[in-house]
Amino acid sequence: MKISNHIRLCLLALAIGYLSSSCKPAAEEDNSIDVVVYGGTSGAVTAAIQAKKMGKSVVLISPDVHLGGLTAGGLGWTDTGKKEVIGGLAREFYQRVYDKYQAEGAWKWEDQADFGNKGQGTPAIDGAFRTMWIFEPHIAEEVFDEWVKELGIELYRDEWLDRESGVTIEDGKITAIRTLGGKEFKGRMFIDATYEGDLMAAAGVSYHVGREATSVYNEEWNGIQTGVFHHRHHFQVLDKQIDPYVIPGDPSSGLLPRISGEDPGVKGEGDRKIQAYCFRTCMSNHPDNRVPFPRPDNYDSTQYELLVRIFDAGWDEWFDKFDMIPNRKTDTNNHGPFSSDNIGMNYEYPEASYERRKEIIKEHEDYQKGLLYFVANDPRVPKKTQEEFKNWGLAKDEFIDNGNWPHQIYVREARRMVGNYVMTENELLRRRPTPESVGMGSYTIDSHNIQRYVDENGHVQNEGDIGVGLPGPYEIAFGSIIPKKEEITNLVVPVAVSASHIAFGSIRMEPVFMILGQSGATAAVMALDKGIPVQDLSYETLKGQLLTDGQVLTMENQIK
């Protein structure tokens, strides 16, 4: 039998009648890691960094090959909200991005002076605070990779949680997780920082998928929202109604592709449907740094017949969400009645197997690649739009190991924990106060479309797109990132947080995930040090550490 050096020393100490304080109980000899972080998102990275900075042993287990989630996956036009409430490690990330663009050679495809300084609600480059809010995907990934390496964080890439039997629980605590690759990680505290909430769900924590009825949390903007048109992503923006049938006016001819024949449901009722996903594509109009939009192997132009009818109706907003990031590139997002959002094709995703998720992601990729190829090449596209679009292509120097296509689909919403406290629109709209803030959000309450259907007048319509302004930044409750104590006592969930569908529509922004990742790791470490369930941690104690570490918890300590 193999005996560790530690045990040999303890046996020797016993033999001579002296037991050193270093001869701890077996629990100290189990090779457990202090904090195990599962996820590859921006929130996962900041959680690992914070735990490491607090002196703990940390392992970051990423199911993704690339770190950073959407922040490094194409979403460079940051959903900033109010930058005054972005502090701590999140702000340091944007400072590190700023530093990257000060380096020689960073502005390869354009002069910085030609870029301008437009950001989303804030200047792209804030010289006074040395922060940069708009950036290229590879720059963000470099920052995350270098940060993790700088701190010596143990990192495992492409390791997927065994969701069937890979979570060991004893006395209400997770003691180990195992991956499909056969690796086991014993730990004292665990953080699920995935978009999908896979570890949370596998551990038996309560969660919700879809929209709650308005009656559940006494909300106005949750549930089915037929007849509500807040943005320009619906058919009311057109001068005429669009017929949904293959042969216009003939229901017997069947519906055009990607239109549901199901009843959308009753306004205010809940359902199991989620807002649409897409890829945030990075395009370039520099002749030396673009590649033509690829034609998918299964390309089918009939999938885009609805877009032809929209073009024929006079819609000319194809380029309205080509948001410019440095070096003549874009963060291109969904815009209009028919665009990159693949409405209604992701309902299974949150709880689906890995294999089924891959199929869903591939379908989204084929749809969106086909859409770009269609607009660039199909003769039915308006000539003016097509000629201008031919100046664009995928950025040649982005996502180079994935055919210049983003490696992360935009999981706008999946599982959401039902934890110690549920954030709702009532907290965001200041109808009631939020207890025990661990960070702030400030982005508009926002949901993308969820259904495309035939309305009562026989026309095609989208449903679910919501945009509700806020009276100002809002606080996010400590209880929304921790499970109920009776379920698990050593888990923190800073991404698939405890929030209603409509509240999550604002909380789900990448800077907020970084903020909550840091706060969640702080809580985990402090509870570990005290040997208590994370739910029993004194908020006043936690608050003091968060403020010391630069987090913004209320408007009283906003960054000016």
Side-chain angles (χ1 to χ4, degrees):
M1 180 178 68
K2 185 176 180 180
I3 300 177
S4 72
N5 288 333
H6 179 77
I7 293 176
R8 285 196 187 95
L9 290 173
C10 289
L11 290 173
L12 178 60
L14 285 169
I16 62 176
Y18 172 73
L19 183 60
S20 164
S21 62
S22 65
C23 294
K24 301 287 182 67
E28 294 291 323
E29 182 62 14
D30 65 0
N31 298 317
S32 289
I33 299 155
D34 291 328
V35 181
V36 177
V37 181
Y38 181 63
T41 63
S42 60
V45 177
T46 55
I49 289 170
Q50 179 67 10
K52 187 72 173 181
K53 281 177 164 287
M54 294 182 75
K56 298 305 177 187
S57 59
V58 181
V59 62
L60 177 57
I61 307 162
S62 172
D64 311 306
V65 173
H66 300 273
L67 291 182
L70 256 296
T71 296
L75 206 167
W77 180 259
T78 303
D79 300 309
T80 313
K82 301 295 184 183
K83 66 180 187 296
E84 295 83 1
V85 300
I86 300 174
L89 295 176
R91 179 164 284 260
E92 184 176 344
F93 167 79
Y94 297 106
Q95 289 169 336
R96 286 172 176 251
V97 169
Y98 177 93
D99 291 341
K100 284 281 185 182
Y101 281 101
Q102 304 308 304
E104 185 177 353
W107 296 88
K108 181 178 181 180
W109 302 110
E110 71 177 336
D111 292 333
Q112 181 175 343
D114 295 332
F115 170 60
N117 203 22
K118 183 181 178 182
Q120 188 172 182
T122 185
I125 307 169
D126 187 345
F129 288 95
R130 297 184 64 82
T131 50
M132 189 158 176
W133 308 99
I134 309 298
F135 46 83
E136 298 158 277
H138 76 273
I139 292 292
E141 186 172 359
E142 285 177 12
V143 169
F144 287 126
D145 284 345
E146 291 169 6
W147 210 351
V148 167
K149 185 176 181 180
E150 174 187 313
L151 292 173
I153 294 171
E154 188 176 0
L155 169 64
Y156 293 83
R157 301 177 192 262
D158 198 22
E159 288 288 345
W160 298 76
L161 176 69
D162 180 346
R163 291 158 57 191
E164 298 300 321
S165 59
V167 180
T168 302
I169 298 174
E170 298 176 8
D171 299 324
K173 297 173 66 176
I174 303 172
T175 58
I177 64 172
R178 291 174 299 280
T179 66
L180 295 177
K183 293 182 175 64
E184 182 176 69
F185 300 90
K186 297 180 180 179
R188 298 182 177 90
M189 280 287 174
F190 290 80
I191 298 175
D192 180 348
T194 61
Y195 292 123
E196 297 84 1
D198 281 343
L199 174 55
M200 166 193 77
V205 172
S206 300
Y207 65 85
H208 188 82
V209 174
R211 296 182 280 191
E212 299 90 349
T214 53
S215 59
V216 174
Y217 297 117
N218 190 29
E219 296 176 294
E220 179 181 359
W221 301 111
N222 209 339
I224 297 164
Q225 295 290 316
T226 47
V228 176
F229 308 115
H230 282 178
H231 294 125
R232 297 186 62 78
H233 311 315
H234 51 79
F235 290 83
Q236 300 301 104
V237 302
L238 305 175
D239 291 333
K240 65 179 182 179
Q241 301 291 337
I242 302 299
D243 192 293
Y245 301 110
V246 174
I247 300 173
D250 182 5
S252 67
S253 65
L255 292 168
L256 292 177
R258 302 181 188 276
I259 300 175
S260 171
E262 297 181 3
D263 186 286
V266 177
K267 189 175 188 297
E269 290 189 351
D271 58 21
R272 296 277 295 175
K273 299 171 181 177
I274 57 176
Q275 56 184 305
Y277 296 172
C278 69
F279 290 89
R280 299 290 285 251
T281 47
C282 185
M283 301 182 188
S284 172
N285 65 357
H286 195 293
D288 297 329
N289 193 39
R290 69 183 183 212
V291 294
F293 296 113
R295 185 183 192 276
D297 291 339
N298 60 354
Y299 175 69
D300 176 7
S301 65
T302 66
Q303 295 297 308
Y304 313 102
E305 178 64 34
L306 184 56
L307 180 59
V308 173
R309 295 187 186 183
I310 295 169
F311 280 139
D312 289 346
W315 186 74
D316 62 353
E317 300 177 21
W318 177 252
F319 299 98
D320 276 21
K321 281 303 290 178
F322 281 47
D323 293 316
M324 298 306 298
I325 61 176
N327 284 308
R328 289 178 59 173
K329 300 177 191 175
T330 70
D331 167 357
T332 305
N333 194 13
N334 175 82
H335 180 76
F338 187 102
S339 184
S340 57
D341 276 2
N342 196 4
I343 300 170
M345 303 300 287
N346 61 343
Y347 300 155
E348 295 177 61
Y349 183 89
E351 297 177 298
S353 67
Y354 292 135
E355 292 74 17
R356 178 63 185 134
R357 283 184 187 165
K358 287 178 182 177
E359 292 173 354
I360 293 169
I361 292 169
K362 182 63 165 61
E363 197 280 332
H364 279 68
E365 180 178 336
D366 288 344
Y367 162 73
Q368 197 165 336
K369 283 182 174 177
L371 174 66
L372 299 176
Y373 182 85
F374 178 86
V375 176
N377 294 280
D378 197 282
R380 293 172 292 171
V381 173
K383 184 177 180 180
K384 181 181 178 182
T385 298
Q386 192 165 78
E387 287 181 349
E388 183 177 349
F389 196 45
K390 284 183 179 295
N391 293 320
W392 294 91
L394 298 179
K396 187 186 295 185
D397 59 353
E398 298 289 349
F399 313 118
I400 57 176
D401 64 345
N402 197 42
N404 310 113
W405 192 256
H407 41 68
Q408 174 67 60
I409 194 170
Y410 196 170
V411 180
R412 289 189 171 93
E413 180 179 16
R415 297 186 184 96
R416 288 171 281 107
M417 179 171 67
V418 180
N420 248 17
Y421 191 91
V422 180
M423 293 290 295
T424 72
E425 70 176 45
N426 297 303
E427 287 78 17
L428 276 61
L429 294 171
R430 296 184 184 172
R431 294 172 184 152
R432 63 178 176 227
T434 302
E436 301 185 341
S437 172
V438 290
M440 299 191 77
S442 60
Y443 199 81
T444 299
I445 293 177
D446 176 80
S447 172
H448 281 231
N449 277 308
I450 293 173
Q451 301 181 87
R452 177 177 290 135
Y453 64 100
V454 180
D455 68 18
E456 64 276 11
N457 298 314
H459 302 127
V460 63
Q461 191 52 269
N462 295 337
E463 181 275 323
D465 187 88
I466 298 291
V468 178
L470 300 173
Y474 56 88
E475 300 163 16
I476 301 171
F478 177 33
S480 70
I481 64 171
I482 54 177
K484 298 171 184 174
K485 187 176 178 180
E486 61 267 26
E487 294 181 341
I488 291 292
T489 61
N490 67 335
L491 175 67
V492 178
V493 184
V495 176
V497 300
S498 179
S500 70
H501 154 74
I502 200 63
F504 190 76
S506 172
I507 294 170
R508 65 181 177 86
M509 305 306 158
E510 290 288 301
V512 178
F513 288 153
M514 286 189 259
I515 291 167
L516 297 181
Q518 177 181 352
S519 294
T522 304
V525 168
M526 296 184 80
L528 179 61
D529 284 343
K530 294 179 179 298
I532 59 175
V534 69
Q535 294 86 355
D536 290 347
L537 180 64
S538 160
Y539 173 68
E540 289 303 314
T541 303
L542 172 61
K543 175 183 176 181
Q545 185 65 54
L546 295 178
L547 291 173
T548 296
D549 291 338
Q551 291 281 57
V552 177
L553 304 183
T554 69
M555 291 304 290
E556 292 180 2
N557 71 300
Q558 64 178 300
I559 298 170
K560 297 181 180 178

